[in-house]
Amino acid sequence: MKMKAENTTRIQFDSLSVNEAYARGAAAAFLARYDPTVPQLADLKTAVSEAVTNCIVHAYPDRVGPITMTVSVYPGRVVRIVIADKGVGIPDIPRAMEPLFTTGNPEERSGLGFAVMQSFMDKVSVRSAPGRGTRVILTKHLEEKPST
């Protein structure tokens, strides 16, 4: 995206499961001033939850590491959320994005994280390098609320 963001925030937190709710809430609080609809806000929060949970479970399988979330709003009410880690990375992104594929315990993990993100966002892109981490970029256009 080449346009300049109208407003941006960035937070960093540890890859602890308790911080997933914090990330979701922080994104929602930041975007509240744009008056998204309840379904739009639910979509964004769900996608953030999935992306952050992926970092917690997969990026740092045996340690706690940093996760950074950047939320930006661009002209035309385009929201871009980047969830980034410095973890193990994804060796095969297309395979990782296949529904039902998981590197976690199949009894605990459904392998639907990316599919869920894609169903709630307009665009999901992933950049990753083994040993260097992963960036998940979530994009959604917030439609204007109909005037009453």
Side-chain angles (χ1 to χ4, degrees), residues 26-97:
F30 180 77
L31 294 169
R33 73 175 287 272
Y34 295 93
D35 199 23
T37 64
V38 171
Q40 287 170 344
L41 201 53
D43 289 356
L44 289 158
K45 287 165 65 176
T46 300
V48 165
S49 291
E50 290 295 331
V52 170
T53 298
N54 273 1
C55 292
I56 293 166
V57 172
H58 301 291
Y60 305 107
D62 51 5
R63 66 183 175 99
V64 173
I67 299 172
T68 303
M69 178 176 74
T70 307
V71 183
S72 303
V73 180
Y74 291 84
R77 295 170 54 89
V78 174
V79 175
R80 182 175 178 230
I81 301 172
V82 179
I83 309 290
D85 65 65
K86 296 180 184 324
V88 299
I90 302 171
D92 185 345
I93 293 170
R95 179 137 190 254
M97 293 183 79

Side-chain angles (χ1 to χ4, degrees), residues 5 7 10 12 14 19 23 47 62 71 84 96 111 116 119 134 137 148:
N7 197 5
R10 176 175 294 135
Q12 181 174 306
D14 289 338
N19 288 333
D62 51 5
V71 183
V116 168
S119 70
T134 301
I137 301 123
T148 51

